[in-house]
PDB file of all heavy atoms in Angstrom:
ATOM      1  N   ASP F   1     -27.653  35.613 -37.786  1.00 97.00           N
ATOM      2  CA  ASP F   1     -28.066  35.585 -39.197  1.00 97.00           C
ATOM      3  C   ASP F   1     -28.410  34.138 -39.552  1.00 97.00           C
ATOM      4  O   ASP F   1     -27.628  33.223 -39.283  1.00 97.00           O
ATOM      5  CB  ASP F   1     -26.942  36.098 -40.109  1.00 97.00           C
ATOM      6  CG  ASP F   1     -27.400  36.141 -41.556  1.00 97.00           C
ATOM      7  OD1 ASP F   1     -28.430  36.778 -41.844  1.00 97.00           O
ATOM      8  OD2 ASP F   1     -26.730  35.518 -42.398  1.00 97.00           O
ATOM      9  N   VAL F   2     -29.597  33.932 -40.130  1.00 97.00           N
ATOM     10  CA  VAL F   2     -30.058  32.597 -40.511  1.00 97.00           C
ATOM     11  C   VAL F   2     -30.329  32.589 -42.012  1.00 97.00           C
ATOM     12  O   VAL F   2     -31.052  33.439 -42.520  1.00 97.00           O
ATOM     13  CB  VAL F   2     -31.341  32.197 -39.741  1.00 97.00           C
ATOM     14  CG1 VAL F   2     -31.709  30.740 -40.052  1.00 97.00           C
ATOM     15  CG2 VAL F   2     -31.161  32.397 -38.236  1.00 97.00           C
ATOM     16  N   GLU F   3     -29.730  31.637 -42.708  1.00 97.00           N
ATOM     17  CA  GLU F   3     -29.866  31.538 -44.159  1.00 97.00           C
ATOM     18  C   GLU F   3     -30.128  30.093 -44.581  1.00 97.00           C
ATOM     19  O   GLU F   3     -29.650  29.173 -43.905  1.00 97.00           O
ATOM     20  CB  GLU F   3     -28.578  32.051 -44.844  1.00 97.00           C
ATOM     21  CG  GLU F   3     -28.286  33.529 -44.618  1.00 97.00           C
ATOM     22  CD  GLU F   3     -29.282  34.447 -45.281  1.00 97.00           C
ATOM     23  OE1 GLU F   3     -29.991  33.976 -46.208  1.00 97.00           O
ATOM     24  OE2 GLU F   3     -29.375  35.622 -44.867  1.00 97.00           O
ATOM     25  N   PRO F   4     -30.840  29.867 -45.705  1.00 98.00           N
ATOM     26  CA  PRO F   4     -31.525  30.844 -46.549  1.00 98.00           C
ATOM     27  C   PRO F   4     -32.871  31.243 -45.943  1.00 98.00           C
ATOM     28  O   PRO F   4     -33.337  30.607 -44.988  1.00 98.00           O
ATOM     29  CB  PRO F   4     -31.727  30.071 -47.860  1.00 98.00           C
ATOM     30  CG  PRO F   4     -31.886  28.651 -47.414  1.00 98.00           C
ATOM     31  CD  PRO F   4     -30.960  28.491 -46.248  1.00 98.00           C
ATOM     32  N   PRO F   5     -33.536  32.244 -46.483  1.00 97.00           N
ATOM     33  CA  PRO F   5     -34.836  32.653 -45.939  1.00 97.00           C
ATOM     34  C   PRO F   5     -35.906  31.570 -46.079  1.00 97.00           C
ATOM     35  O   PRO F   5     -36.839  31.519 -45.278  1.00 97.00           O
ATOM     36  CB  PRO F   5     -35.197  33.895 -46.770  1.00 97.00           C
ATOM     37  CG  PRO F   5     -33.904  34.374 -47.335  1.00 97.00           C
ATOM     38  CD  PRO F   5     -33.070  33.155 -47.548  1.00 97.00           C
ATOM     39  N   ASN F   6     -35.777  30.692 -47.101  1.00 98.00           N
ATOM     40  CA  ASN F   6     -36.781  29.655 -47.334  1.00 98.00           C
ATOM     41  C   ASN F   6     -36.116  28.428 -47.945  1.00 98.00           C
ATOM     42  O   ASN F   6     -35.166  28.536 -48.727  1.00 98.00           O
ATOM     43  CB  ASN F   6     -37.871  30.172 -48.280  1.00 98.00           C
ATOM     44  CG  ASN F   6     -38.873  29.088 -48.657  1.00 98.00           C
ATOM     45  OD1 ASN F   6     -39.708  28.694 -47.838  1.00 98.00           O
ATOM     46  ND2 ASN F   6     -38.789  28.591 -49.876  1.00 98.00           N
ATOM     47  N   GLN F   7     -36.666  27.263 -47.599  1.00 98.00           N
ATOM     48  CA  GLN F   7     -36.269  26.015 -48.230  1.00 98.00           C
ATOM     49  C   GLN F   7     -37.519  25.376 -48.841  1.00 98.00           C
ATOM     50  O   GLN F   7     -38.499  25.107 -48.140  1.00 98.00           O
ATOM     51  CB  GLN F   7     -35.636  25.040 -47.214  1.00 98.00           C
ATOM     52  CG  GLN F   7     -34.275  25.466 -46.688  1.00 98.00           C
ATOM     53  CD  GLN F   7     -33.150  25.177 -47.665  1.00 98.00           C
ATOM     54  OE1 GLN F   7     -33.350  25.110 -48.870  1.00 98.00           O
ATOM     55  NE2 GLN F   7     -31.933  25.017 -47.147  1.00 98.00           N
ATOM     56  N   ASP F   8     -37.490  25.161 -50.169  1.00 98.00           N
ATOM     57  CA  ASP F   8     -38.567  24.449 -50.855  1.00 98.00           C
ATOM     58  C   ASP F   8     -38.275  22.957 -50.806  1.00 98.00           C
ATOM     59  O   ASP F   8     -37.173  22.522 -51.166  1.00 98.00           O
ATOM     60  CB  ASP F   8     -38.679  24.902 -52.315  1.00 98.00           C
ATOM     61  CG  ASP F   8     -39.239  26.313 -52.446  1.00 98.00           C
ATOM     62  OD1 ASP F   8     -40.175  26.640 -51.704  1.00 98.00           O
ATOM     63  OD2 ASP F   8     -38.725  27.080 -53.288  1.00 98.00           O
ATOM     64  N   VAL F   9     -39.270  22.160 -50.376  1.00 98.00           N
ATOM     65  CA  VAL F   9     -39.079  20.715 -50.268  1.00 98.00           C
ATOM     66  C   VAL F   9     -40.240  20.007 -50.958  1.00 98.00           C
ATOM     67  O   VAL F   9     -41.287  20.594 -51.218  1.00 98.00           O
ATOM     68  CB  VAL F   9     -38.983  20.272 -48.791  1.00 98.00           C
ATOM     69  CG1 VAL F   9     -37.784  20.919 -48.120  1.00 98.00           C
ATOM     70  CG2 VAL F   9     -40.266  20.599 -48.027  1.00 98.00           C
ATOM     71  N   THR F  10     -40.055  18.725 -51.257  1.00 97.00           N
ATOM     72  CA  THR F  10     -41.076  17.941 -51.944  1.00 97.00           C
ATOM     73  C   THR F  10     -42.112  17.423 -50.950  1.00 97.00           C
ATOM     74  O   THR F  10     -41.961  17.558 -49.732  1.00 97.00           O
ATOM     75  CB  THR F  10     -40.442  16.756 -52.683  1.00 97.00           C
ATOM     76  OG1 THR F  10     -39.878  15.855 -51.702  1.00 97.00           O
ATOM     77  CG2 THR F  10     -39.345  17.232 -53.633  1.00 97.00           C
ATOM     78  N   ALA F  11     -43.153  16.775 -51.472  1.00 97.00           N
ATOM     79  CA  ALA F  11     -44.216  16.236 -50.626  1.00 97.00           C
ATOM     80  C   ALA F  11     -43.754  15.042 -49.795  1.00 97.00           C
ATOM     81  O   ALA F  11     -44.346  14.744 -48.746  1.00 97.00           O
ATOM     82  CB  ALA F  11     -45.418  15.838 -51.486  1.00 97.00           C
ATOM     83  N   ALA F  12     -42.697  14.346 -50.230  1.00 97.00           N
ATOM     84  CA  ALA F  12     -42.193  13.187 -49.485  1.00 97.00           C
ATOM     85  C   ALA F  12     -41.540  13.638 -48.177  1.00 97.00           C
ATOM     86  O   ALA F  12     -41.060  14.769 -48.069  1.00 97.00           O
ATOM     87  CB  ALA F  12     -41.190  12.429 -50.348  1.00 97.00           C
ATOM     88  N   PRO F  13     -41.495  12.783 -47.153  1.00 97.00           N
ATOM     89  CA  PRO F  13     -40.844  13.167 -45.891  1.00 97.00           C
ATOM     90  C   PRO F  13     -39.336  13.316 -46.071  1.00 97.00           C
ATOM     91  O   PRO F  13     -38.737  12.712 -46.961  1.00 97.00           O
ATOM     92  CB  PRO F  13     -41.186  12.009 -44.949  1.00 97.00           C
ATOM     93  CG  PRO F  13     -41.413  10.837 -45.859  1.00 97.00           C
ATOM     94  CD  PRO F  13     -42.022  11.404 -47.111  1.00 97.00           C
ATOM     95  N   GLY F  14     -38.729  14.125 -45.214  1.00 98.00           N
ATOM     96  CA  GLY F  14     -37.282  14.317 -45.321  1.00 98.00           C
ATOM     97  C   GLY F  14     -36.780  15.364 -44.355  1.00 98.00           C
ATOM     98  O   GLY F  14     -37.445  15.728 -43.377  1.00 98.00           O
ATOM     99  N   SER F  15     -35.590  15.879 -44.641  1.00 98.00           N
ATOM    100  CA  SER F  15     -34.940  16.888 -43.799  1.00 98.00           C
ATOM    101  C   SER F  15     -34.333  17.966 -44.681  1.00 98.00           C
ATOM    102  O   SER F  15     -33.924  17.697 -45.823  1.00 98.00           O
ATOM    103  CB  SER F  15     -33.841  16.268 -42.937  1.00 98.00           C
ATOM    104  OG  SER F  15     -34.358  15.303 -42.057  1.00 98.00           O
ATOM    105  N   THR F  16     -34.245  19.170 -44.144  1.00 98.00           N
ATOM    106  CA  THR F  16     -33.552  20.263 -44.809  1.00 98.00           C
ATOM    107  C   THR F  16     -32.790  21.045 -43.750  1.00 98.00           C
ATOM    108  O   THR F  16     -32.969  20.816 -42.538  1.00 98.00           O
ATOM    109  CB  THR F  16     -34.526  21.160 -45.595  1.00 98.00           C
ATOM    110  OG1 THR F  16     -33.766  22.070 -46.407  1.00 98.00           O
ATOM    111  CG2 THR F  16     -35.453  21.942 -44.665  1.00 98.00           C
ATOM    112  N   PHE F  17     -31.930  21.981 -44.167  1.00 97.00           N
ATOM    113  CA  PHE F  17     -31.011  22.627 -43.226  1.00 97.00           C
ATOM    114  C   PHE F  17     -30.975  24.140 -43.448  1.00 97.00           C
ATOM    115  O   PHE F  17     -31.158  24.634 -44.561  1.00 97.00           O
ATOM    116  CB  PHE F  17     -29.589  22.062 -43.380  1.00 97.00           C
ATOM    117  CG  PHE F  17     -29.527  20.574 -43.209  1.00 97.00           C
ATOM    118  CD1 PHE F  17     -29.621  19.738 -44.319  1.00 97.00           C
ATOM    119  CD2 PHE F  17     -29.399  20.005 -41.955  1.00 97.00           C
ATOM    120  CE1 PHE F  17     -29.583  18.362 -44.174  1.00 97.00           C
ATOM    121  CE2 PHE F  17     -29.356  18.631 -41.804  1.00 97.00           C
ATOM    122  CZ  PHE F  17     -29.445  17.805 -42.917  1.00 97.00           C
ATOM    123  N   PHE F  18     -30.714  24.854 -42.338  1.00 98.00           N
ATOM    124  CA  PHE F  18     -30.467  26.292 -42.364  1.00 98.00           C
ATOM    125  C   PHE F  18     -29.149  26.551 -41.635  1.00 98.00           C
ATOM    126  O   PHE F  18     -28.818  25.863 -40.657  1.00 98.00           O
ATOM    127  CB  PHE F  18     -31.592  27.057 -41.673  1.00 98.00           C
ATOM    128  CG  PHE F  18     -32.928  26.929 -42.359  1.00 98.00           C
ATOM    129  CD1 PHE F  18     -33.774  25.864 -42.065  1.00 98.00           C
ATOM    130  CD2 PHE F  18     -33.334  27.857 -43.306  1.00 98.00           C
ATOM    131  CE1 PHE F  18     -34.998  25.736 -42.697  1.00 98.00           C
ATOM    132  CE2 PHE F  18     -34.565  27.740 -43.940  1.00 98.00           C
ATOM    133  CZ  PHE F  18     -35.406  26.670 -43.633  1.00 98.00           C
ATOM    134  N   SER F  19     -28.421  27.537 -42.122  1.00 97.00           N
ATOM    135  CA  SER F  19     -27.148  27.907 -41.502  1.00 97.00           C
ATOM    136  C   SER F  19     -27.387  29.031 -40.495  1.00 97.00           C
ATOM    137  O   SER F  19     -27.949  30.082 -40.842  1.00 97.00           O
ATOM    138  CB  SER F  19     -26.157  28.364 -42.581  1.00 97.00           C
ATOM    139  OG  SER F  19     -24.963  28.835 -41.985  1.00 97.00           O
ATOM    140  N   VAL F  20     -26.968  28.809 -39.241  1.00 97.00           N
ATOM    141  CA  VAL F  20     -27.108  29.804 -38.186  1.00 97.00           C
ATOM    142  C   VAL F  20     -25.716  30.395 -37.901  1.00 97.00           C
ATOM    143  O   VAL F  20     -24.796  29.675 -37.513  1.00 97.00           O
ATOM    144  CB  VAL F  20     -27.693  29.186 -36.904  1.00 97.00           C
ATOM    145  CG1 VAL F  20     -27.813  30.249 -35.805  1.00 97.00           C
ATOM    146  CG2 VAL F  20     -29.042  28.546 -37.186  1.00 97.00           C
ATOM    147  N   ALA F  21     -25.581  31.702 -38.138  1.00 96.00           N
ATOM    148  CA  ALA F  21     -24.324  32.404 -37.838  1.00 96.00           C
ATOM    149  C   ALA F  21     -24.573  33.322 -36.654  1.00 96.00           C
ATOM    150  O   ALA F  21     -25.375  34.265 -36.748  1.00 96.00           O
ATOM    151  CB  ALA F  21     -23.861  33.194 -39.050  1.00 96.00           C
ATOM    152  N   THR F  22     -23.915  33.047 -35.535  1.00 95.00           N
ATOM    153  CA  THR F  22     -24.135  33.835 -34.318  1.00 95.00           C
ATOM    154  C   THR F  22     -22.943  33.679 -33.389  1.00 95.00           C
ATOM    155  O   THR F  22     -22.145  32.742 -33.516  1.00 95.00           O
ATOM    156  CB  THR F  22     -25.430  33.393 -33.609  1.00 95.00           C
ATOM    157  OG1 THR F  22     -25.650  34.227 -32.472  1.00 95.00           O
ATOM    158  CG2 THR F  22     -25.362  31.948 -33.179  1.00 95.00           C
ATOM    159  N   ASN F  23     -22.825  34.613 -32.445  1.00 92.00           N
ATOM    160  CA  ASN F  23     -21.800  34.504 -31.402  1.00 92.00           C
ATOM    161  C   ASN F  23     -22.434  34.191 -30.054  1.00 92.00           C
ATOM    162  O   ASN F  23     -21.819  34.406 -29.013  1.00 92.00           O
ATOM    163  CB  ASN F  23     -21.003  35.810 -31.311  1.00 92.00           C
ATOM    164  CG  ASN F  23     -21.895  37.012 -30.999  1.00 92.00           C
ATOM    165  OD1 ASN F  23     -23.113  36.861 -30.847  1.00 92.00           O
ATOM    166  ND2 ASN F  23     -21.292  38.196 -30.911  1.00 92.00           N
ATOM    167  N   SER F  24     -23.664  33.672 -30.095  1.00 92.00           N
ATOM    168  CA  SER F  24     -24.451  33.517 -28.872  1.00 92.00           C
ATOM    169  C   SER F  24     -25.166  32.166 -28.844  1.00 92.00           C
ATOM    170  O   SER F  24     -25.308  31.497 -29.873  1.00 92.00           O
ATOM    171  CB  SER F  24     -25.498  34.634 -28.785  1.00 92.00           C
ATOM    172  OG  SER F  24     -24.928  35.905 -28.956  1.00 92.00           O
ATOM    173  N   PRO F  25     -25.706  31.782 -27.692  1.00 94.00           N
ATOM    174  CA  PRO F  25     -26.632  30.643 -27.644  1.00 94.00           C
ATOM    175  C   PRO F  25     -27.932  31.008 -28.369  1.00 94.00           C
ATOM    176  O   PRO F  25     -28.374  32.156 -28.310  1.00 94.00           O
ATOM    177  CB  PRO F  25     -26.862  30.437 -26.142  1.00 94.00           C
ATOM    178  CG  PRO F  25     -25.756  31.163 -25.457  1.00 94.00           C
ATOM    179  CD  PRO F  25     -25.400  32.310 -26.341  1.00 94.00           C
ATOM    180  N   TRP F  26     -28.561  30.038 -29.019  1.00 97.00           N
ATOM    181  CA  TRP F  26     -29.789  30.302 -29.751  1.00 97.00           C
ATOM    182  C   TRP F  26     -30.775  29.150 -29.580  1.00 97.00           C
ATOM    183  O   TRP F  26     -30.396  28.037 -29.235  1.00 97.00           O
ATOM    184  CB  TRP F  26     -29.514  30.532 -31.239  1.00 97.00           C
ATOM    185  CG  TRP F  26     -28.708  29.448 -31.919  1.00 97.00           C
ATOM    186  CD1 TRP F  26     -27.351  29.400 -32.048  1.00 97.00           C
ATOM    187  CD2 TRP F  26     -29.208  28.261 -32.529  1.00 97.00           C
ATOM    188  NE1 TRP F  26     -26.957  28.261 -32.707  1.00 97.00           N
ATOM    189  CE2 TRP F  26     -28.088  27.532 -33.023  1.00 97.00           C
ATOM    190  CE3 TRP F  26     -30.477  27.724 -32.720  1.00 97.00           C
ATOM    191  CZ2 TRP F  26     -28.222  26.313 -33.677  1.00 97.00           C
ATOM    192  CZ3 TRP F  26     -30.612  26.514 -33.380  1.00 97.00           C
ATOM    193  CH2 TRP F  26     -29.495  25.821 -33.855  1.00 97.00           C
TER     194      TRP F  26
END
């Protein structure tokens, strides 16, 4: 399960994050 479905970011450079919930390598 990967959340959230989308991340809105600004025009400036940067980083954002998603949470990966799994019992396996991905």
Side-chain angles (χ1 to χ4, degrees):
D1 183 55
V2 186
E3 296 293 341
N6 175 73
Q7 291 281 26
D8 289 319
V9 298
T10 65
S15 298
T16 190
F17 304 93
F18 296 87
S19 175
V20 179
T22 183
N23 59 0
S24 308
W26 53 269

